[in-house]
């Protein structure tokens, strides 16, 4: 199957690596809003202008859209679902119904598949919440994120006056994770679940006390958390915080009841990722395979990870999958 | 949907509890090869003779078959797939292709669905092996079982002369689990992955040294493992080892490669179950819902967990699932 990538930041590069490693995919090109002559791809595949997508329907089976959820994807995914099978990693939870509806309408009209909100959360974590709740209805799902870099929180710090660069780590509170794992079913506040640790590079002579206070009191981002701020040099930031690791866990506690009493069960799914965008890109690529196959089978419209049978993600045959994984 | 249960041991009782707890299911009856007048069900639902299944097609939408993999299921599942949508927990790995083929032929001919090898391993563990391999192809999957009671190993001890009762726990070796979690990708022998701990009640005056030796040297079951044997009283066995807890984990280590180097990723799925048969019964019940829906949608033939979209397992609508779990 022939794959196009729209958007060539960290996520686009992660998708590129996954597509190059797939035995059954061919990467057609990377599409960017930047001047394509200035985009040098890691694989050497050709860079195109995004505008070229208007006329390349015959060359591309699935377009993997690597844009931001705030403004890019709400516009891009429905637009390109009218031309291609598409897939995105839309993660603005409150707007998913609206986004699903827009992509569904465009994709159905075009006879294409549009998979939205794919990655690890939403994505693999969502799958695990649903599987667990389906098997043990009425239980409780806890999601912990980290230790990992939150790009949104890092960006928020960078917008503070006097800040040159910053990296923010989201960290689960170990005692909270343990209580959940032990089946205590605790009610946990935002503050009890995660802490935030910030590494900040400031301008020469900047007022560190003001900056630290602005971070710690920032509504939505930091004010509900216990936050630690470290001021470090640009050299330290580049040396020690260049990666984008992330991860976390979904822990589900449920029970069954028979004449012999109530029995507790704990289901835990966890990820420890050296690179958030490379793993997310790998998930998108596996689901791109499913988008292609579903469309070949005559399906159309918006889908999520919930609507797709696991076998659709693998390049292997049904016999091979049963032999290796069942 | 109307559910029947064939076989009323520990697993059948686990299914019964899950069906009674499901908002969209009605339990029609329990079917047994025993004299039904001697079967008292926990829910009070009627017990039938297995022979009654020959004529109850109009009363039952899905028959959940709770038999043993050695001799019951290879015969029962194809037989009843000719009459009903069926589901089983067949777990003899080497015979899955043959069983799949037999169920597929019978179910296709009857226009029914036959889901095989459902539970947690095979089942939820299989799903996690496949999802991980699809997202990070070429990685390595490790499966650890326990700490939990292996009924097959407990039965093997009971067959030794002089043994009155026994309970065998399978235990993962913590150091091996840690090495895998740390991404070391070790090659592990059978002995390095699990140990076996046995609690054995013997007849008055039995030769304990002989029994211990017979256990530890038993081929296939114990000879490849480090095994500990404890002789205890019947009272202790009944007091401390009445439950059937189990669990384990699938740990998958894979990597991605870009111009910036190789990045490692660890995916872990683990279960800690107070009751193996009640959890397994809950998985079977969720997949029974999928069997019913797939058949209503016109599908037929043998399926495994790999072929079934997660949304099919939940009683909730697509909108509700996206709102709660995505």
């Amino acid at each position: 199957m022939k794959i196009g990538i729209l958007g060539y930041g960290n996520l686009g590069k992660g998708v590129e690596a996954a597509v190059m490693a797939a035995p059954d995919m061919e990467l057609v090109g990377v599409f960017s809003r930047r001047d394509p002559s200035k985009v040098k791809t890691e694989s050497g595949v050709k860079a195109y202008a995004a505008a070229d997508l208007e006329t390349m329907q015959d060359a591309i089976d699935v377009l993997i859209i690597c844009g931001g959820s705030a403004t890019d994807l709400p516009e891009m995914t429905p637009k390109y679902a009218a031309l291609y099978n598409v897939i995105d990693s839309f993660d603005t939870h409150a707007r998913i119904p609206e986004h699903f509806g827009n992509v569904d309408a465009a994709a159905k009209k075009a006879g294409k598949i549009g998979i939205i909100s794919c990655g690890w959360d939403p994505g693999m974590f969502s799958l695990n919440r649903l599987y667990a709740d389906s098997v043990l209805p009425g239980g409780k799902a806890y999601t912990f994120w980290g230790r990992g870099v939150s790009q949104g929180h890092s960006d928020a710090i960078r917008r503070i006056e006097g800040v040159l660069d910053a990296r923010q780590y989201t960290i689960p509170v170990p005692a909270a994770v343990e209580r959940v794992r032990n089946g205590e079913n605790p009610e946990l506040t935002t503050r009890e679940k995660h802490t935030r640790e910030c590494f900040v590079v400031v301008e020469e002579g900047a007022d560190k006390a003001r900056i630290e206070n602005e971070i710690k009191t920032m509504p939505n981002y930091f004010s509900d958390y216990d936050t630690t701020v470290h001021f470090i040099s640009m050299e330290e930031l580049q040396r020690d915080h260049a990666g984008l690791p992330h991860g976390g866990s979904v822990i589900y506690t449920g029970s069954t009841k028979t004449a012999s009493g109530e029995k507790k069960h704990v289901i835990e799914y966890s990820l420890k990722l050296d690179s958030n965008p490379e793993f997310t890109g790998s998930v998108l690529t596996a689901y791109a395979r499913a988008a292609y196959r579903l469309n070949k089978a005559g399906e159309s419209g918006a889908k999520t990870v919930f609507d797709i049978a696991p076998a659709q993600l693998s390049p292997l045959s049904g016999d091979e999958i049963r032999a290796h994984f069942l």
Side-chain angles (χ1 to χ4, degrees), chain A residues 11-323:
Chain A
L11 180 57
K13 287 173 189 171
V15 170
E16 179 185 27
V19 172
M20 296 304 292
D24 55 348
M25 293 182 173
E26 179 201 336
L27 182 58
V28 174
V30 161
F31 297 81
S32 170
R33 285 171 295 190
R34 287 176 280 166
D35 175 353
S37 72
K38 301 216 164 101
V39 176
K40 189 171 154 36
T41 64
E42 295 200 347
S43 63
V45 76
K46 187 171 174 184
Y48 293 86
D52 291 330
L53 285 170
E54 302 300 327
T55 57
M56 287 184 66
Q57 289 94 318
D58 290 344
I60 295 171
D61 294 316
V62 185
L63 181 67
I64 304 179
I65 306 182
C66 302
S69 292
T71 55
D72 295 343
L73 298 177
E75 182 247 328
M76 281 177 170
T77 311
K79 174 178 171 181
Y80 291 106
L83 299 170
Y84 298 93
N85 295 309
V86 295
I87 175 163
D88 77 18
S89 59
F90 186 75
D91 67 358
T92 309
H93 195 270
R95 295 185 62 192
I96 284 175
E98 176 194 348
H99 188 58
F100 185 89
N102 292 341
V103 174
D104 193 49
K108 280 214 176 101
K109 197 170 163 201
K112 300 291 183 186
I113 292 284
I115 301 176
I116 68 158
S117 301
C118 194
W120 58 274
D121 197 5
M124 305 311 293
F125 275 16
S126 318
L127 281 176
N128 277 280
R129 288 185 287 257
L130 176 62
Y131 274 119
D133 189 86
S134 299
V135 169
L136 296 175
K140 209 160 153 48
Y142 294 83
T143 303
F144 293 96
W145 297 276
R147 188 177 191 254
V149 174
S150 163
Q151 301 194 60
H153 288 77
S154 301
D155 289 343
I157 299 172
R158 280 188 209 104
R159 286 191 292 264
I160 294 174
E161 202 193 316
V163 172
L164 292 175
D165 204 351
R167 204 70 87 250
Q168 194 269 185
Y169 293 87
T170 306
I171 304 167
V173 174
V177 176
E178 274 316 299
R179 289 184 64 194
V180 171
R181 246 179 221 148
N182 292 339
E184 292 180 33
N185 270 353
E187 291 293 332
L188 297 167
T189 63
T190 298
R191 191 177 301 274
E192 287 169 328
K193 284 185 73 187
H194 296 92
T195 55
R196 299 196 176 277
E197 187 171 18
C198 314
F199 295 86
V200 183
V201 183
V202 296
E203 289 169 4
E204 185 80 34
D207 180 349
K208 291 181 180 171
R210 172 190 54 83
I211 290 170
E212 180 164 346
N213 186 57
E214 278 192 43
I215 295 171
K216 290 185 170 176
T217 58
M218 195 185 297
N220 302 320
Y221 285 89
F222 293 99
S223 61
D224 293 337
Y225 298 85
D226 289 337
T227 301
T228 315
V229 177
H230 307 279
F231 292 99
I232 61 173
S233 68
M234 187 61 89
E235 188 191 14
E236 285 171 304
L237 188 89
Q238 287 167 353
R239 186 190 64 206
D240 302 335
H241 304 283
L244 292 169
H246 219 314
S249 50
V250 172
I251 309 177
Y252 189 92
T253 55
S255 65
T256 49
K257 286 187 197 74
T258 64
S260 67
E262 183 173 7
K263 303 279 168 38
K264 283 189 179 179
H265 311 289
V266 181
I267 305 172
E268 178 165 352
Y269 177 82
S270 68
L271 295 172
K272 212 176 100 188
L273 311 173
D274 274 0
S275 166
N276 181 356
E278 290 177 29
F279 185 80
T280 303
S282 297
V283 178
L284 284 167
T285 301
Y287 276 93
R289 178 175 292 118
Y292 172 78
R293 290 173 170 176
L294 290 171
N295 190 243
K296 278 274 174 208
E299 293 197 46
S300 66
K303 308 273 177 193
T304 71
V305 294
F306 301 140
D307 306 308
I308 294 167
Q312 301 284 346
L313 308 182
S314 173
L316 302 177
S317 72
D319 284 343
E320 290 172 316
I321 289 172
R322 286 188 293 275

